[in-house]
Amino acid sequence: MAYFDAASAAPLHPVARQALLASLDEGWADPARLYREGRRARLLLDAAREAAAECVGCRADELVFTPSGTRAVHSGVAGALAGRRRAGRHLIVSAVEHSSVLHAAETHEADGGSLTQVGVDRTGAVDPTAYAAALREDTALACLQSANHEVGTEQPVAEVAEACRAAGVPLLVDAAQTLGWGRVEGDWSLLTGSAHKWGGPSGVGLLAVRKGVRFAPQGPGDERESGRAPGFENLPAIVAAAASLRAVRAEAAAEAARLRELTERIRARVPALVPDVEVVGDPARRLPGVVTFSCLYVDGETLLHELDRAGFSVSSGSSCTSSTLTPSHVLKAMGVLSEGNVRVSLPPGTVAEDVERFLEVLPGTVAAVREKLGAPAATETVRTAGPDLVVDALGRRCPIPVIELAKVIGDVPVGGTVRVLSDDEAARLDIPAWCEMRGQEYVGEEEAEKGTAYLVRRTV
């Protein structure tokens, strides 16, 4: 079985396993106590903090450990907003942030705060000038991920941090996807991470708050972790997290170069092997082991199940793999195809043979899924009929509305239109994306008695 979902959780690093087992014997006592066992535990905690701070690029007394990366984000956002409440209640985030950041932003907005979401281009990157333009006198905090978790695009953190610093606004960076590869560049103010993203144990996050940043921890007070992460520290997991972070950093340069070659192989060969595929994300500024692509006329959930049966564990941002049946907010913000979306994220140590086997299996797997769904052939015969057609895809989920559109586009002459009736939210993203891939004109949408009518004009 080839595990290709490291962006969700990386396999436990051998160093993490060793450190975890060793600290179970030495680090079980309360590090706040002054007796021998407590002092021993305190030494382990302090050493772990020093190691993690060195990797992050901050002082040890600026870093605390939290029960998860999500908790680090929530605590960081809430504490920074509360600390700068006198400055205002305006928060800035990108449209492609991790859900933990967006949920914190929703909570802030529900509590009466104001929110600005900065959009991204089709590669998933923000424009630093757009962040600078969003800054206001009442801006309390800005948030930007170091790299996107779904498509791997790296963000211009240093440029955004410079704009925020000039405006006197702290920048919180969600560095969960990049801490294992290196320090985050730029003059950031707050930073968060999650150990299971770099091969540490789950249930450990970190929050760094630079000296001089106004910060007011929220919730009941606690003497632990400078009052920023209440509760007894999970010392064995913390020690393992810090040890594994240091270990993966030592291997990062060589492993990044190796994984980039493997993902570049996938990026280049998938469009040649599989018809009607869109590779998404920045082609150059991206995480070493992540490559994401979307396949037309494919049910994402079915494709993932078939790849799992073939021995490959991958993930997807397709609406079909979600209980809400709505497209990934990342793919939606980028304006790219969501149906049949596959994210391959290679863990350190992935061998080239597994990648080659994946490339051998993928074309047949996609073709089989398309055949089950009745997708049109790549060389569909062009026909002509009336100038306008209506496709009723109400009650039919992705990718059926797009499949039905593709089947009938040849039935109208050039200049004719097809109206696709759909009540699937994914159609709002996938039909325009299909038009861009196929060179057809997306006219827009209209209200319908049921669902929405999506208008497409045939141009070729």
Side-chain angles (χ1 to χ4, degrees), residues 84-158:
R84 283 180 45 82
R85 187 154 187 159
R86 289 185 179 181
R89 302 203 64 201
H90 178 230
L91 172 65
I92 303 174
V93 302
S94 84
V96 294
E97 293 297 312
H98 188 269
S99 58
S100 60
V101 174
L102 297 183
H103 291 160
E106 291 170 1
T107 298
H108 170 68
E109 195 171 24
D111 192 39
S114 58
L115 175 67
T116 296
Q117 278 199 13
V118 178
V120 297
D121 60 20
R122 283 186 65 85
T123 71
V126 302
D127 182 349
T129 60
Y131 254 83
L135 293 166
R136 308 187 323 209
E137 289 186 2
D138 64 336
T139 302
L141 178 67
C143 300
L144 179 63
Q145 59 190 192
S146 54
N148 186 259
H149 49 292
E150 288 193 25
V151 300
T153 298
E154 295 179 343
Q155 300 291 359
V157 173

Side-chain angles (χ1 to χ4, degrees), residues 1-94:
M1 190 75 181
Y3 180 75
F4 287 175
D5 195 21
S8 293
L12 194 66
H13 194 281
V15 169
R17 184 182 301 277
Q18 295 167 7
L20 181 65
L21 293 175
S23 56
L24 284 172
D25 293 330
E26 297 293 327
W28 50 268
D30 187 346
R33 299 298 177 227
L34 299 179
Y35 42 71
R36 181 173 52 190
E37 294 85 357
R39 293 196 305 272
R40 187 182 300 140
R42 169 55 65 178
L43 287 173
L44 288 173
L45 180 58
D46 290 345
R49 198 184 314 278
E50 289 280 356
E54 181 184 3
C55 292
V56 168
C58 66
R59 293 169 37 160
D61 59 355
E62 293 175 330
L63 184 144
V64 298
F65 294 104
T66 64
S68 68
T70 294
R71 175 56 65 187
V73 166
H74 291 172
S75 298
V77 171
L81 287 172
R84 283 180 45 82
R85 187 154 187 159
R86 289 185 179 181
R89 302 203 64 201
H90 178 230
L91 172 65
I92 303 174
V93 302
S94 84

Side-chain angles (χ1 to χ4, degrees), residues 51 75 91 119 129 222 250 281 301 324 331 344 394 421:
S75 298
L91 172 65
T129 60
D222 196 312
E301 186 171 12
T324 62
L331 301 177
V344 174
L394 294 170
L421 301 178

Side-chain angles (χ1 to χ4, degrees), residues 83-414:
R84 283 180 45 82
R85 187 154 187 159
R86 289 185 179 181
R89 302 203 64 201
H90 178 230
L91 172 65
I92 303 174
V93 302
S94 84
V96 294
E97 293 297 312
H98 188 269
S99 58
S100 60
V101 174
L102 297 183
H103 291 160
E106 291 170 1
T107 298
H108 170 68
E109 195 171 24
D111 192 39
S114 58
L115 175 67
T116 296
Q117 278 199 13
V118 178
V120 297
D121 60 20
R122 283 186 65 85
T123 71
V126 302
D127 182 349
T129 60
Y131 254 83
L135 293 166
R136 308 187 323 209
E137 289 186 2
D138 64 336
T139 302
L141 178 67
C143 300
L144 179 63
Q145 59 190 192
S146 54
N148 186 259
H149 49 292
E150 288 193 25
V151 300
T153 298
E154 295 179 343
Q155 300 291 359
V157 173
E159 294 92 331
V160 171
E162 183 179 357
C164 290
R165 179 67 62 179
V169 174
L171 176 68
L172 183 150
V173 178
D174 170 17
Q177 294 293 336
T178 62
L179 271 183
W181 300 111
R183 292 182 179 180
V184 175
E185 296 181 358
D187 197 7
W188 49 265
S189 301
L190 303 96
L191 182 142
T192 64
S194 187
H196 72 280
K197 302 292 187 181
W198 65 67
S202 59
V204 179
L206 59 82
L207 168 63
V209 182
R210 297 282 199 194
K211 293 294 183 183
V213 175
R214 292 187 177 276
F215 191 89
Q218 299 301 285
D222 196 312
E223 69 278 4
R224 308 265 176 186
E225 293 298 293
S226 304
R228 296 174 181 173
F232 198 98
E233 297 93 344
N234 184 353
L235 189 52
I238 287 172
V239 171
S244 59
L245 181 54
R246 176 177 283 179
V248 298
R249 281 291 187 83
E251 306 160 354
E255 194 61 25
R258 202 178 65 81
L259 291 184
R260 283 190 190 280
E261 191 279 327
L262 293 177
T263 53
E264 188 57 41
R265 193 181 305 183
I266 298 173
R267 288 182 64 89
R269 290 177 57 186
V270 164
L273 293 170
V274 182
D276 300 318
V277 165
E278 181 179 17
V279 181
V280 300
D282 194 287
R285 290 190 53 164
R286 67 175 191 273
L287 293 168
V290 176
V291 56
T292 305
F293 54 89
S294 298
C295 307
L296 269 176
Y297 318 133
V298 169
D299 179 313
E301 186 171 12
T302 301
L303 179 57
L304 262 60
H305 283 316
E306 291 302 316
L307 287 173
D308 180 53
R309 291 176 59 186
F312 297 96
S313 301
V314 298
S315 62
S316 173
S318 289
S319 58
C320 310
T321 63
S322 161
S323 61
T324 62
L325 293 175
T326 58
S328 150
H329 70 278
V330 172
L331 301 177
K332 185 175 182 180
M334 293 168 63
V336 298
L337 187 70
S338 75
E339 64 183 63
N341 179 260
V342 175
R343 180 187 68 183
V344 174
S345 50
L346 307 178
T350 299
V351 296
E353 290 77 9
D354 283 344
V355 171
E356 286 299 322
R357 190 165 61 87
F358 175 77
L359 291 171
E360 291 175 3
V361 166
L362 182 68
T365 304
V366 173
V369 173
R370 284 174 171 167
E371 184 178 4
K372 288 180 182 178
L373 292 172
T379 56
E380 190 75 23
T381 303
V382 176
R383 305 166 298 276
T384 58
D388 300 287
L389 283 176
V390 176
V391 172
D392 186 351
L394 294 170
R396 309 183 74 183
R397 299 301 179 188
C398 72
I400 299 302
V402 177
I403 289 177
E404 295 303 315
L405 168 62
K407 286 180 176 179
V408 304
I409 192 69
D411 289 343
V412 299
V414 172

